[in-house]
């Protein structure tokens, strides 16, 4: 180990998902988001929409901000939260905050995490632990049917 490196304790992160009774669904785009929200509306259950690891590398924060805006416009009645995964990229967290995203995952070093958590709090945003997804829609041919099955009463 390098003697010049100071190990800082990892700051406590907010628990995810935002609601303990929310089902976590990994979404990869608007089609998945719409399927999960439609099923959640029908079942009258909360849902957490989880972007894939490193989602800001592939889609960019603008893509996820547009999805969040559309979610709020078309599914305002659904108890849902979108969590965007910024992997270990502090610049992606900063960009996500600038476009208004509120629930983010950052897997970088502890010092950067502490600084970003303070900045996020000023934006009324949170850095969260990556929750375990109950369902990853990338593997589903019929996303809506898979979400309906997951969100049916007595499931998850």
């Amino acid at each position: 180990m390098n003697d010049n490196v100071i190990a800082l304790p990892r700051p406590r992160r907010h628990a995810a998902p935002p609601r303990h009774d929310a089902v976590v669904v990994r979404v990869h785009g608007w089609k998945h988001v719409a399927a999960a929200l439609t099923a959640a509306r029908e079942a009258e259950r909360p849902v957490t929409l989880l972007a894939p690891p490193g989602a800001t590398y592939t889609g960019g924060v603008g893509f996820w901000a547009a999805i969040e805006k559309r979610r709020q416009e078309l599914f305002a009645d659904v108890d849902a939260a979108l969590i965007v995964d910024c992997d270990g990229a502090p610049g992606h967290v900063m960009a996500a905050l600038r476009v208004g995203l509120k629930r983010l995952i950052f897997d970088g070093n502890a010092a950067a995490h502490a600084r970003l958590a303070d900045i996020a709090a000023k934006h009324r945003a949170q850095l969260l632990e990556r929750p375990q997804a109950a369902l990853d829609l990338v593997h589903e041919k019929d996303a809506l049917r898979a979400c309906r099955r997951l969100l049916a009463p007595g499931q998850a």
Side-chain angles (χ1 to χ4, degrees):
M1 182 170 165
N2 186 337
D3 291 332
N4 296 329
V5 176
I6 299 172
L8 298 173
R10 191 165 208 103
R12 186 179 165 121
R13 298 180 188 188
H14 295 90
R19 286 194 40 183
H20 68 85
D21 58 341
V23 175
V24 180
V25 178
R26 187 176 310 272
V27 295
H28 297 263
W30 176 250
K31 180 180 174 183
H32 292 164
V33 170
L37 293 172
T38 298
R41 178 186 278 154
E42 292 170 356
E44 297 181 354
R45 292 191 58 193
V47 65
T48 297
L49 308 167
L50 177 63
T56 56
Y57 287 106
T58 54
V61 296
F63 172 79
W64 293 102
I67 284 181
E68 176 63 6
K69 182 179 180 197
R70 191 169 186 194
R71 178 195 73 79
Q72 291 173 0
E73 291 170 354
L74 300 178
F75 292 93
D77 60 315
V78 178
D79 186 356
L82 172 66
I83 301 175
V84 178
D85 194 315
C86 298
D87 195 35
H92 291 202
V93 172
M94 295 299 295
L97 293 170
R98 280 192 294 275
V99 298
L101 294 169
K102 299 295 183 190
R103 292 174 185 87
L104 307 169
I105 294 170
F106 174 69
D107 282 340
N109 69 61
H113 187 277
R115 288 190 303 271
L116 289 169
D118 287 341
I119 295 167
K122 291 175 184 167
H123 285 86
R124 296 183 184 167
Q126 300 171 315
L127 293 186
L128 304 168
E129 293 285 342
R130 185 178 287 118
Q132 182 69 35
L135 175 65
D136 188 338
L137 292 176
V138 77
H139 304 294
E140 300 295 332
K141 286 185 179 181
D142 187 337
L144 180 58
R145 186 171 70 193
C147 289
R148 283 177 172 152
R149 214 174 30 248
L150 177 68
L151 291 162
Q155 298 299 311

